[in-house]
Amino acid sequence: IKKVASGDLSVTFPVESNDEIGELAAAFNDMVEKLREREVLEKRLYEAEHLSRVGQLASGIAHEIRNPLNYISLAIDHLSSELSGQCPERADEMTAVADKIRDEVRRANYMVVNFMNYGRPLKVRKSLVEYRDLLDKTLSVVQEKLAEQQVVVERRIDPALPQLLLDPELMRNCIINFVTNGAQAMAGGGTLVLGAELDPQQPAWVCLSFTDQGGGIAAEDIEKIFQPYFTTKDLGIGLGLAITERIIKAHGGEILVTSMLGQGTTL
């Protein structure tokens, strides 16, 4: 009884008789079971309240971001046209830079739309994608930042990896989150290993992995890293991995975490 009173709901009495002591034990066990159910419901309510707050925050931010994005999209077309005319010898270079900016604006706008609908099912637009090509396109955006952080990306992709059926825009967002978090975990630089192979247990599925050489995650924090607003960083609001998990689940997948303090993390 003292253990239950202190919050340990794993305790039960063995019911060994049919007398009043047995009835008391059964009643006690029934009470503990109801307390467990209540604890689960309270946890779900807490998570629902968090999601509601995230939805309100995301919607407000999204509305503020869409106007600048629309302006950037229009401005880059104008600048590209003007500068290409003035510097024809660098036209190809400027066109490539402008295309990259357009792609990122489109990706940001796509994510904004999904933020505005936070709490509702994501709009997943799947198509067959070569994972290597998706990585090339995604890593080109963060390559300079990774170089500044002295982070080297190593790819370990199964040569027999088939095309993946996924939403390329949403998955690019996931990759950027994983890569950015891995790089930030390695304050002094290091190697970030990106793996991809067929799931040996379920050949119809693919395992994508991101392994850093950072400080690792404390055991008590592993269950929290996908919760909205949870973060161990000085900067950040703790939404990156929460949104990433939502995207993965919308594709029918799951995220597993292995981490050891001082040895790194694999997602």
Side-chain angles (χ1 to χ4, degrees):
I1 291 172
K2 288 180 179 179
K3 286 184 178 181
V4 172
S6 66
D8 182 359
L9 300 181
S10 65
V11 180
T12 56
F13 274 135
V15 180
E16 298 176 338
S17 64
N18 294 321
D19 57 12
E20 56 270 18
I21 299 301
E23 290 177 3
L24 177 62
F28 180 84
N29 292 343
D30 184 55
M31 179 194 71
V32 172
E33 181 60 30
K34 289 179 179 178
L35 287 173
R36 289 177 189 151
E37 292 174 358
R38 180 174 178 177
E39 187 177 55
V40 170
L41 289 174
E42 287 178 347
K43 184 178 180 181
R44 289 178 181 172
L45 178 61
Y46 175 78
E47 291 174 349
E49 289 175 348
H50 264 289
L51 287 176
S52 176
R53 291 173 189 164
V54 172
Q56 293 173 7
L57 173 65
S59 180
I61 293 175
H63 279 294
E64 294 298 323
I65 290 176
R66 292 198 82 181
N67 287 336
L69 286 178
N70 290 334
Y71 177 77
I72 292 171
S73 183
L74 293 172
I76 194 61
D77 288 334
H78 176 71
L79 287 174
S80 178
S81 177
E82 287 287 324
L83 293 175
S84 294
Q86 294 178 16
C87 306
E89 69 280 2
R90 299 183 62 190
D92 291 343
E93 177 186 350
M94 292 178 182
T95 298
V97 172
D99 288 343
K100 187 177 293 186
I101 294 174
R102 286 193 201 94
D103 285 343
E104 289 308 298
V105 168
R106 188 182 72 253
R107 185 179 70 86
N109 190 66
Y110 190 43
M111 292 307 303
V112 163
V113 171
N114 281 306
F115 287 162
M116 291 173 68
N117 295 320
Y118 200 96
R120 304 175 188 173
L122 283 171
K123 295 180 180 178
V124 180
R125 302 167 185 170
K126 295 182 180 180
S127 60
L128 287 173
V129 176
E130 287 286 351
Y131 187 57
R132 296 173 186 80
D133 295 341
L134 184 63
L135 278 183
D136 288 340
K137 192 172 184 179
T138 304
L139 294 177
S140 66
V141 178
V142 295
Q143 193 58 53
E144 290 185 10
K145 183 64 176 177
L146 293 176
E148 289 177 10
Q149 296 171 302
Q150 297 182 318
V151 173
V152 177
V153 174
E154 179 182 334
R155 304 188 193 190
R156 297 180 184 174
I157 301 176
D158 186 346
L161 192 75
Q163 288 186 315
L164 309 183
L165 183 62
L166 49 76
D167 185 316
E169 296 295 342
L170 291 178
M171 192 54 62
R172 283 183 69 200
N173 187 74
C174 293
I175 294 170
I176 287 177
N177 277 333
F178 286 138
V179 170
T180 301
N181 284 344
Q184 290 175 348
M186 300 184 290
T191 300
L192 185 63
V193 179
L194 276 55
E197 61 181 1
L198 290 171
D199 188 335
Q201 305 299 325
Q202 303 181 73
W205 291 89
V206 169
C207 293
L208 306 179
S209 61
F210 302 81
T211 303
D212 65 56
Q213 299 174 328
I217 303 171
E220 63 271 18
D221 288 341
I222 288 181
E223 292 183 358
K224 304 175 186 176
I225 62 173
F226 298 112
Q227 293 178 3
Y229 298 129
F230 177 79
T231 180
T232 57
K233 304 172 187 175
D234 294 332
L235 298 175
I237 57 176
L239 283 179
L241 285 178
I243 292 169
T244 297
E245 184 189 39
R246 193 161 175 258
I247 292 172
I248 298 299
K249 286 185 175 180
H251 281 79
E254 63 175 338
I255 300 181
L256 304 177
V257 184
T258 58
S259 184
M260 292 188 67
L261 289 176
Q263 296 186 28
T265 300
T266 296
L267 289 163

